[in-house]
Amino acid sequence: MSTYQGVDELMQGIAAEFDNLPRQLQSVARYIEQQRANLMVQRINEIAEGSGVHSSAVVRFAQRFGFSGFTEMQALFRNAYTEQVAPARSYQQRIRRVIEDDGGRMTSAQMALRFIDASRLGLDELAAEFDAERFQSAVDLLVKAENIYVVAVRRSFSIASYIAYALQHTNKRVHLITGLGGMHREQIRSIGKNDLLIAISFPPYGKETLFCARVARERHAKVLAVTESELGPLANYADVLLKVQEGSAFAFRALTSTICLCQALFVALTYELELKVEETNRPGEYDD
């Protein structure tokens, strides 16, 4: 009989043991961490297929953490999340139904609605799994930082650009690491122990972002990670990790939930600093 009393406690145990797990069980761990809100309704073969392993590996994974088998482990998720995930499940089922019902070429409007549904699903999961304590810890890091560095590459760069823009409406010194000319190394080199790095990355993780996070830790700066998994490489450098799962459609992940989370961080910071949001527009400046 497993000693884990809840899903959060189990996930903490998985994270602590992750590096010692065989490769197949690591794949199961990643899948469970990413799909925890839906695990209660999935069959063992679905989890195995999503993890890229045989069903027996899912059973071994459950037994590794003290469960008699998959069914007992799944019951832990079912008991904890039956009510919480109902809205998210309904949206996911709606998306799956649309996919199954597609009989021919989709119209542009149908494609747009698919993306809207995917984004809504991501926001539902963000709300359902919101960790108020972690979010406050992230705001505290922003408040205390003398300099705030922001890094992200490729798909996530637009998020980094936005949060850097927003933070520049405070009195904080903000540095957006663009890597222009291949200069990530030079742009992060001045980070120090009283500073904060906001690192945003999702699989496949940007090597430039991981490099900057490693340098920040070596220089005794704090790292605020925004990513989808506590089991990914970015988590190894994070003082605070804010997890966000984006909805996806047509193999494209949305950015809706991530931008929402970053906007919430900025607004929370302005109130912690006792700033009025409307004061960020000063007379005579551009109205944008």
Side-chain angles (χ1 to χ4, degrees):
M1 181 69 180
S2 174
T3 59
Y4 293 106
Q5 301 300 310
V7 171
D8 289 338
E9 185 178 334
L10 172 61
M11 298 310 300
Q12 290 171 4
I14 293 173
E17 186 68 16
F18 182 77
D19 290 338
N20 298 321
L21 295 176
R23 182 175 300 178
Q24 283 192 328
L25 300 194
Q26 286 185 343
S27 297
V28 177
R30 291 191 185 96
Y31 183 86
I32 288 175
E33 202 269 344
Q34 293 170 8
Q35 296 291 326
R36 56 185 285 181
N38 304 306
L39 205 70
M40 55 168 282
V41 297
Q42 294 185 351
R43 295 184 296 271
I44 188 171
N45 61 324
E46 291 180 289
I47 297 170
E49 183 179 355
S51 304
V53 301
H54 192 271
S55 297
S56 61
V58 181
V59 175
R60 292 200 305 274
F61 179 89
Q63 293 173 341
R64 177 72 176 252
F65 290 93
F67 299 97
S68 60
F70 168 73
T71 301
E72 185 181 356
M73 183 181 71
Q74 187 181 45
L76 190 71
F77 288 84
R78 181 179 293 115
N79 293 339
Y81 285 93
T82 298
E83 296 182 1
Q84 292 182 18
V85 302
R89 283 170 51 210
S90 66
Y91 281 121
Q92 186 174 51
Q93 290 167 355
R94 179 180 173 185
I95 292 172
R96 286 179 176 174
R97 188 162 56 248
V98 170
I99 293 173
E100 293 170 356
D101 292 344
D102 283 344
R105 182 178 176 86
M106 297 181 68
T107 67
S108 297
Q110 289 174 322
M111 295 177 70
L113 289 172
R114 179 81 64 81
F115 274 107
I116 292 169
D117 277 340
S119 297
R120 185 184 290 120
L121 173 61
L123 287 170
D124 284 337
E125 292 188 354
L126 179 65
E129 299 183 12
F130 185 77
D131 189 324
E133 184 175 346
R134 282 195 188 189
F135 186 81
Q136 184 59 55
S137 296
V139 175
D140 291 341
L141 289 180
L142 290 166
V143 170
K144 295 174 183 177
E146 291 185 2
N147 291 274
I148 299 174
Y149 293 76
V150 188
V151 63
V153 296
R154 292 179 282 283
R155 175 178 89 92
S156 302
F157 181 76
S158 59
I159 305 296
S161 179
Y162 167 77
I163 191 64
Y165 158 77
L167 290 172
Q168 286 167 352
H169 287 81
T170 71
N171 60 358
K172 296 290 183 178
R173 294 190 292 272
V174 182
H175 311 270
L176 176 61
I177 301 174
T178 64
L180 184 63
M183 293 191 293
H184 284 92
R185 185 185 304 272
E186 288 76 11
Q187 292 176 342
I188 193 65
R189 67 186 302 176
S190 60
I191 196 169
K193 66 179 181 179
N194 296 319
D195 300 332
L196 170 67
L197 173 69
I198 302 176
I200 307 168
S201 191
F202 300 90
Y205 296 92
K207 63 181 181 180
E208 302 90 343
T209 303
L210 295 176
F211 169 78
C212 290
R214 184 173 71 251
V215 171
R217 289 305 299 267
E218 290 172 353
R219 302 289 178 83
H220 305 290
K222 299 295 185 182
V223 177
L224 167 58
V226 179
T227 186
E228 72 171 16
S229 175
E230 296 182 67
L231 305 180
L234 189 57
N236 295 330
Y237 304 110
D239 292 280
V240 176
L241 185 148
L242 296 180
K243 192 171 68 172
V244 55
Q245 296 273 1
E246 288 285 5
S248 63
F250 307 105
F252 289 92
R253 278 185 260 179
L255 296 173
T256 312
S257 299
T258 311
I259 195 71
C260 176
L261 183 63
C262 288
Q263 286 178 315
L265 275 173
F266 165 66
V267 173
L269 174 64
T270 63
Y271 280 90
E272 288 283 347
L273 297 176
E274 298 184 350
L275 301 177
K276 293 182 179 179
V277 177
E278 61 266 27
E279 289 180 353
T280 60
N281 274 338
R282 296 172 183 168
E285 292 189 350
Y286 293 111
D287 181 12
D288 55 358

Coordinates of all heavy atoms in Angstrom, one line a residue, residues 3-40:
T3 N 2.2 5.0 0.6 CA 2.1 5.9 1.7 C 1.7 7.3 1.3 O 1.5 8.2 2.2 CB 3.5 6.0 2.5 OG1 4.5 6.4 1.6 CG2 3.8 4.6 3.0
Y4 N 1.6 7.6 0.0 CA 1.2 8.9 -0.5 C -0.2 9.2 -0.2 O -1.1 8.4 -0.6 CB 1.5 9.0 -2.0 CG 3.0 8.9 -2.3 CD1 3.6 7.8 -2.9 CD2 3.9 10.0 -2.0 CE1 4.9 7.7 -3.1 CE2 5.2 9.9 -2.2 CZ 5.7 8.8 -2.8 OH 7.1 8.7 -3.1
Q5 N -0.5 10.4 0.4 CA -1.8 10.7 0.8 C -2.5 11.6 -0.2 O -3.8 11.8 -0.1 CB -1.8 11.5 2.1 CG -1.1 10.7 3.3 CD -1.9 9.4 3.5 OE1 -3.1 9.4 3.7 NE2 -1.2 8.3 3.6
G6 N -1.8 12.1 -1.2 CA -2.5 13.0 -2.2 C -1.6 13.1 -3.4 O -0.4 12.7 -3.4
V7 N -2.2 13.7 -4.5 CA -1.5 13.8 -5.7 C -0.3 14.7 -5.6 O 0.8 14.4 -6.2 CB -2.5 14.3 -6.8 CG1 -1.7 14.7 -8.1 CG2 -3.5 13.3 -7.1
D8 N -0.4 15.8 -4.9 CA 0.8 16.7 -4.8 C 1.9 16.0 -4.1 O 3.1 16.2 -4.5 CB 0.3 18.0 -4.0 CG -0.6 18.9 -4.8 OD1 -0.5 18.8 -6.1 OD2 -1.3 19.7 -4.2
E9 N 1.6 15.3 -3.1 CA 2.7 14.5 -2.3 C 3.3 13.5 -3.3 O 4.5 13.3 -3.2 CB 2.1 13.9 -1.1 CG 3.1 13.2 -0.2 CD 2.5 12.6 1.0 OE1 1.4 13.0 1.4 OE2 3.1 11.6 1.5
L10 N 2.5 12.8 -4.1 CA 3.1 11.8 -5.0 C 4.0 12.5 -6.0 O 5.1 12.0 -6.3 CB 1.9 11.1 -5.7 CG 2.4 10.2 -6.9 CD1 3.3 9.1 -6.4 CD2 1.1 9.6 -7.6
M11 N 3.5 13.6 -6.6 CA 4.3 14.3 -7.6 C 5.6 14.8 -7.0 O 6.7 14.8 -7.7 CB 3.5 15.5 -8.2 CG 2.3 15.1 -8.9 SD 2.5 13.7 -10.1 CE 3.7 14.5 -11.2
Q12 N 5.6 15.2 -5.7 CA 6.9 15.6 -5.1 C 7.8 14.4 -5.0 O 9.0 14.5 -5.1 CB 6.6 16.2 -3.7 CG 5.9 17.6 -3.8 CD 5.4 18.0 -2.4 OE1 5.6 17.4 -1.4 NE2 4.7 19.2 -2.4
G13 N 7.2 13.3 -4.6 CA 8.0 12.1 -4.5 C 8.6 11.7 -5.9 O 9.8 11.2 -6.0
I14 N 7.8 11.8 -6.9 CA 8.3 11.5 -8.3 C 9.5 12.4 -8.7 O 10.5 12.0 -9.2 CB 7.2 11.6 -9.3 CG1 6.1 10.5 -9.0 CG2 7.7 11.5 -10.7 CD1 4.9 10.6 -9.9
A15 N 9.3 13.7 -8.4 CA 10.3 14.7 -8.7 C 11.6 14.4 -8.0 O 12.7 14.5 -8.5 CB 9.9 16.1 -8.4
A16 N 11.5 14.0 -6.7 CA 12.7 13.7 -5.9 C 13.4 12.4 -6.4 O 14.7 12.3 -6.3 CB 12.3 13.5 -4.4
E17 N 12.7 11.5 -7.0 CA 13.3 10.2 -7.4 C 13.6 10.2 -8.9 O 14.2 9.2 -9.4 CB 12.3 9.1 -7.1 CG 12.7 7.7 -7.3 CD 13.8 7.2 -6.4 OE1 14.0 7.9 -5.3 OE2 14.5 6.2 -6.7
F18 N 13.2 11.2 -9.6 CA 13.2 11.2 -11.1 C 14.5 10.8 -11.7 O 14.6 10.0 -12.6 CB 12.7 12.6 -11.6 CG 12.7 12.6 -13.1 CD1 11.6 12.1 -13.8 CD2 13.7 13.2 -13.8 CE1 11.5 12.1 -15.2 CE2 13.6 13.3 -15.2 CZ 12.5 12.7 -15.9
D19 N 15.6 11.4 -11.2 CA 16.9 11.2 -11.8 C 17.4 9.7 -11.6 O 18.3 9.3 -12.3 CB 18.0 12.1 -11.2 CG 17.8 13.6 -11.6 OD1 17.1 13.8 -12.7 OD2 18.2 14.5 -10.9
N20 N 16.8 9.0 -10.6 CA 17.2 7.7 -10.3 C 16.3 6.6 -11.1 O 16.6 5.4 -11.0 CB 17.1 7.4 -8.8 CG 18.1 8.2 -8.0 OD1 19.2 8.5 -8.5 ND2 17.7 8.7 -6.9
L21 N 15.3 7.1 -11.8 CA 14.4 6.2 -12.5 C 15.0 5.7 -13.8 O 15.8 6.5 -14.5 CB 13.1 6.9 -12.8 CG 12.2 7.3 -11.6 CD1 11.0 8.1 -12.1 CD2 11.8 6.1 -10.8
P22 N 14.8 4.5 -14.2 CA 15.2 4.0 -15.5 C 14.5 4.9 -16.6 O 13.5 5.5 -16.3 CB 14.6 2.6 -15.6 CG 14.5 2.2 -14.2 CD 14.1 3.4 -13.4
R23 N 15.0 4.9 -17.8 CA 14.6 5.8 -18.8 C 13.1 5.6 -19.1 O 12.3 6.6 -19.3 CB 15.4 5.6 -20.1 CG 15.0 6.5 -21.3 CD 15.9 6.3 -22.4 NE 17.3 6.7 -22.1 CZ 18.3 6.5 -22.9 NH1 18.1 6.1 -24.2 NH2 19.5 6.9 -22.6
Q24 N 12.6 4.4 -19.2 CA 11.2 4.1 -19.5 C 10.3 4.7 -18.4 O 9.3 5.3 -18.7 CB 10.9 2.6 -19.7 CG 11.4 2.0 -21.0 CD 10.8 0.6 -21.2 OE1 10.6 -0.1 -20.2 NE2 10.6 0.3 -22.4
L25 N 10.7 4.6 -17.2 CA 9.9 5.1 -16.1 C 10.0 6.6 -16.0 O 9.0 7.3 -15.6 CB 10.3 4.5 -14.7 CG 10.2 3.0 -14.6 CD1 10.4 2.5 -13.1 CD2 8.9 2.4 -15.2
Q26 N 11.1 7.2 -16.5 CA 11.1 8.7 -16.6 C 10.1 9.1 -17.6 O 9.5 10.2 -17.4 CB 12.5 9.1 -17.0 CG 13.6 9.0 -15.9 CD 14.9 9.6 -16.3 OE1 15.2 9.8 -17.5 NE2 15.7 9.9 -15.3
S27 N 9.9 8.4 -18.7 CA 9.0 8.8 -19.7 C 7.5 8.7 -19.2 O 6.7 9.6 -19.4 CB 9.1 7.8 -20.9 OG 10.3 7.9 -21.6
V28 N 7.3 7.7 -18.3 CA 6.0 7.6 -17.7 C 5.8 8.8 -16.7 O 4.7 9.4 -16.7 CB 5.8 6.3 -16.9 CG1 4.5 6.2 -16.2 CG2 5.9 5.1 -17.9
A29 N 6.8 9.1 -16.0 CA 6.7 10.2 -15.0 C 6.4 11.5 -15.7 O 5.6 12.3 -15.3 CB 8.1 10.3 -14.2
R30 N 7.1 11.8 -16.9 CA 6.8 13.0 -17.6 C 5.4 13.1 -18.1 O 4.7 14.1 -18.0 CB 7.8 13.1 -18.8 CG 9.2 13.4 -18.4 CD 10.0 13.8 -19.7 NE 11.5 13.9 -19.4 CZ 12.3 12.9 -19.6 NH1 11.9 11.7 -20.1 NH2 13.6 13.0 -19.3
Y31 N 4.9 12.0 -18.6 CA 3.5 11.9 -19.1 C 2.5 12.2 -17.9 O 1.6 13.0 -18.1 CB 3.2 10.6 -19.7 CG 1.9 10.5 -20.3 CD1 1.6 10.9 -21.6 CD2 0.8 10.0 -19.6 CE1 0.3 10.9 -22.2 CE2 -0.5 9.9 -20.1 CZ -0.7 10.4 -21.4 OH -2.0 10.4 -21.9
I32 N 2.7 11.5 -16.8 CA 1.8 11.7 -15.7 C 1.9 13.1 -15.2 O 0.8 13.7 -14.9 CB 2.2 10.7 -14.6 CG1 1.8 9.3 -15.0 CG2 1.5 11.1 -13.3 CD1 2.2 8.2 -14.0
E33 N 3.0 13.7 -15.1 CA 3.2 15.1 -14.7 C 2.4 16.1 -15.6 O 1.8 17.0 -15.2 CB 4.6 15.5 -14.6 CG 4.9 16.6 -13.6 CD 4.9 17.9 -14.3 OE1 5.0 17.9 -15.6 OE2 4.8 19.0 -13.6
Q34 N 2.5 15.8 -16.9 CA 1.9 16.7 -17.9 C 0.4 16.4 -18.0 O -0.4 17.3 -18.3 CB 2.5 16.5 -19.2 CG 4.0 16.9 -19.3 CD 4.7 16.5 -20.6 OE1 4.0 16.0 -21.5 NE2 6.0 16.7 -20.6
Q35 N -0.1 15.2 -17.7 CA -1.5 14.8 -17.9 C -2.2 14.5 -16.6 O -3.3 13.9 -16.7 CB -1.6 13.6 -18.8 CG -1.0 13.8 -20.2 CD -1.9 14.8 -21.0 OE1 -3.1 14.8 -20.9 NE2 -1.3 15.6 -21.9
R36 N -1.7 15.0 -15.5 CA -2.3 14.7 -14.2 C -3.8 15.0 -14.1 O -4.5 14.3 -13.4 CB -1.5 15.3 -13.1 CG -1.4 16.8 -13.2 CD -0.5 17.4 -12.1 NE -1.2 17.4 -10.8 CZ -0.6 17.9 -9.7 NH1 0.6 18.4 -9.7 NH2 -1.3 17.8 -8.5
A37 N -4.2 16.1 -14.8 CA -5.6 16.5 -14.7 C -6.5 15.5 -15.4 O -7.7 15.5 -15.1 CB -5.8 17.9 -15.2
N38 N -6.0 14.7 -16.3 CA -6.8 13.8 -17.1 C -6.5 12.3 -16.8 O -7.2 11.5 -17.4 CB -6.6 14.1 -18.6 CG -6.8 15.5 -19.0 OD1 -7.9 16.1 -18.7 ND2 -5.8 16.1 -19.6
L39 N -5.6 12.1 -15.9 CA -5.2 10.7 -15.7 C -6.3 9.8 -15.1 O -6.4 8.6 -15.4 CB -4.0 10.7 -14.7 CG -3.1 9.5 -14.8 CD1 -2.3 9.5 -16.0 CD2 -2.2 9.4 -13.6
M40 N -7.2 10.4 -14.4 CA -8.3 9.6 -13.8 C -9.2 9.0 -14.9 O -10.0 8.0 -14.6 CB -9.1 10.5 -12.9 CG -9.7 11.8 -13.5 SD -10.9 12.6 -12.5 CE -12.3 11.6 -12.8

